[in-house]
Amino acid sequence: MLEKQFYDQMFAHSFNIPITVQYWDHTTKTYGEGTPSLTIHLRKAVPIKALLKNASLALGEAYMRGDIDVTGGGQFPLQALLTAAYESAGSFMRNKKLIRVIPKQSHTEKKSKADIQAHYDLGNDFYKLWLDDTMTYSCAYFDDWDDDLTHAQQNKVDHILRKLDLQPGRRFLDIGCGWGTLMLTAAKRYHLDVTGITLSQEQYDFVNERIQALGLQDHARVLLEDYRELTDGPYDYITSIGMFEHVGQENLGLYFKDVAKLMKTGGSALIHGITRQQGGATNAWLNKYIFPGGYIPGLSENITHIIDANLQVSDLEPLRRHYQRTLEHWDENFNAHRNVIQQKFGYSFTRMWDVYLQAAAASFASGNIDVIQYLVTKAPSGTGLPLTRDYIYA
């Protein structure tokens, strides 16, 4: 009875839309005003103690087991439910102060490599199933909401490279190069001498194959190396896309100082990553199952580190809704291959990745998190960039 009362209070205060809940005892109750389009199927009660200790971890694991399901609400029911939870100003969990102090995490070079490989070395074949043809695993850039994902990812690469105002023959570094589309586009289209670094063995092998296939051996190389080990700077241009989320709160200052150290005076860098405008945060479920060692920094936190590294902010561009749309494409692709993925990785893994993609989309949709491009320069006075933004769109 106590569990039922707890859940009754939780559901009454956690969403800004009406919902229906089907409880484990086969009773049904509607919460909120209006006609619900979403139904939560609570097949088994999650212990109150586990919810109070860490709600995201307890509920995420319950969903992975199949103890919780969500139906209705269109193509992305979990996303719709979680968006309503994030947007709810009177969230029960927030009132109960379940957000804990951010725990300390290890981000030694050895631990960072293990964390990256735990996520990115699930196999290139796995990522090929649901990423686009460019194998780009970061926020795309949409001219229109209905753009094809491959077009939007190519658009993102072009947008980043135009922002840097690249000049041929110069040196270009991509920190956390992924599967190489950005760095190889810079080499092929802008005739730059490019270096990419990654801690993922799968990505390293893939990029090396692409360099050979494109005949770029004289202009491109990839290193299986930590950014803290790199000593062959300075570079004219630096990009780092979806990288600083992995370095840890305690290493953020070092990360931006290393970017500055590797950059020529007068050079520029485009840093693109997930940021919370409300302040830094971790998520216990994501850290345990998806991104070990992950930390989402606050906007002011990043700006402080950029200033402390003696870099100048030249442009900031929030891309929150672009990442929402990217994740919706990924989840649609993921579920189109759900049977294949489940046969290889199992039931719990498949539900885990589905909830990760939809929860992330909800977090961007609601404004709980953002993704921002920071264009920074290293120059004692002024910058080498044009006076206005017109050059980006010319």
Side-chain angles (χ1 to χ4, degrees):
M1 181 63 72
L2 182 61
E3 276 183 333
K4 193 75 172 290
Q5 291 174 347
F6 178 87
Y7 275 96
D8 190 61
Q9 286 297 306
M10 181 176 73
F11 289 131
H13 296 92
S14 291
F15 305 100
N16 64 353
I17 59 172
I19 61 164
T20 297
V21 178
Q22 291 184 353
Y23 284 98
W24 57 88
D25 61 0
H26 306 296
T27 60
T28 299
K29 187 171 180 178
T30 294
Y31 297 89
E33 297 180 2
T35 303
S37 62
L38 289 166
T39 299
I40 299 173
H41 304 267
L42 196 56
R43 300 189 176 99
K44 186 178 179 181
V46 182
I48 296 174
K49 185 177 180 180
L51 283 168
L52 290 173
K53 184 177 181 181
N54 196 295
S56 70
L57 184 61
L59 293 170
E61 290 180 336
Y63 186 85
M64 289 165 62
R65 293 190 300 267
D67 293 343
I68 299 174
D69 236 325
V70 182
T71 58
Q75 186 178 2
F76 306 107
L78 271 171
Q79 178 183 335
L81 180 73
L82 292 170
T83 299
Y86 286 130
E87 290 178 347
S88 175
S91 170
F92 177 81
M93 292 302 178
R94 195 176 302 122
N95 288 341
K96 290 295 180 181
K97 297 182 180 178
L98 293 182
I99 299 173
R100 304 300 187 193
V101 174
I102 295 170
K104 290 185 177 180
Q105 303 180 78
S106 171
H107 287 91
T108 63
E109 292 179 15
K110 182 178 180 181
K111 184 63 168 61
S112 292
K113 185 173 183 178
D115 288 346
I116 291 297
Q117 292 187 348
H119 184 87
Y120 294 95
D121 284 358
L122 289 169
N124 291 337
D125 289 343
F126 168 67
Y127 287 101
K128 284 177 182 176
L129 289 174
W130 54 275
L131 296 180
D132 67 294
D133 293 341
T134 70
M135 287 291 284
T136 302
Y137 188 23
S138 57
C139 175
Y141 192 81
F142 293 85
D143 289 322
D144 185 89
W145 194 257
D146 295 322
D147 280 350
D148 170 81
L149 181 58
T150 296
H151 171 78
Q153 290 291 13
Q154 291 169 335
N155 201 27
K156 184 268 296 293
V157 168
D158 293 340
H159 188 60
I160 288 171
L161 297 179
R162 286 198 303 270
K163 275 189 177 182
L164 289 166
D165 194 32
L166 302 174
Q167 304 300 317
R170 298 188 181 178
R171 302 190 73 206
F172 179 100
L173 172 67
D174 191 11
I175 301 174
C177 65
W179 284 274
T181 294
L182 177 65
M183 61 174 281
L184 297 180
T185 301
K188 188 174 181 180
R189 187 177 302 167
Y190 292 91
H191 310 291
L192 299 174
D193 176 22
V194 306
T195 298
I197 58 172
T198 180
L199 290 175
S200 163
Q201 184 69 52
E202 291 272 334
Q203 291 178 342
Y204 171 79
D205 294 340
F206 186 89
V207 176
N208 265 322
E209 289 177 8
R210 290 190 68 189
I211 289 172
Q212 298 296 319
L214 292 169
L216 292 172
Q217 299 93 319
D218 295 336
H219 302 285
R221 63 173 181 154
V222 60
L223 304 174
L224 189 65
E225 194 167 304
D226 193 288
Y227 70 97
R228 291 166 286 190
E229 298 173 345
L230 199 61
T231 58
D232 72 337
Y235 289 85
D236 299 281
Y237 311 107
I238 297 177
T239 54
S240 188
I241 313 303
M243 167 66 191
F244 63 56
E245 303 95 314
H246 296 291
V247 307
Q249 185 179 25
E250 73 280 13
N251 284 335
L252 269 173
L254 173 63
Y255 166 82
F256 283 106
K257 286 177 181 177
D258 280 346
V259 169
K261 181 176 68 177
L262 290 164
M263 194 192 313
K264 286 184 179 178
T265 298
S268 53
L270 192 292
I271 313 297
H272 167 126
I274 299 172
T275 304
R276 288 190 83 245
Q277 296 199 24
Q278 306 92 323
T282 61
N283 179 285
W285 182 83
L286 280 172
N287 278 71
K288 182 174 180 178
Y289 291 103
I290 304 296
F291 289 113
Y295 170 74
I296 305 300
L299 174 59
S300 61
E301 187 177 5
N302 276 344
I303 295 297
T304 297
H305 288 310
I306 289 169
I307 293 168
D308 288 345
N310 292 318
L311 296 171
Q312 295 235 324
V313 177
S314 294
D315 191 81
L316 293 178
E317 183 176 9
L319 300 174
R320 177 175 63 83
R321 294 183 66 221
H322 293 267
Y323 218 155
Q324 173 195 342
R325 189 62 182 138
T326 303
L327 283 151
E328 289 171 356
H329 275 286
W330 286 345
D331 193 62
E332 185 176 0
N333 294 343
F334 180 89
N335 280 291
H337 297 92
R338 192 181 184 105
N339 291 338
V340 173
I341 293 169
Q342 185 165 318
Q343 286 173 9
K344 183 172 183 180
F345 293 100
Y347 175 81
S348 179
F349 175 94
T350 306
R351 289 177 67 83
M352 175 180 78
W353 271 77
D354 189 22
V355 72
Y356 149 58
L357 294 170
Q358 290 197 55
S363 209
F364 285 110
S366 64
N368 183 51
I369 55 177
D370 204 335
V371 60
I372 293 177
Q373 289 187 352
Y374 305 78
L375 181 62
V376 299
T377 56
K378 182 180 180 179
S381 59
T383 75
L385 295 173
L387 285 173
T388 73
R389 292 174 173 172
D390 292 349
Y391 76 100
I392 299 173
Y393 304 101

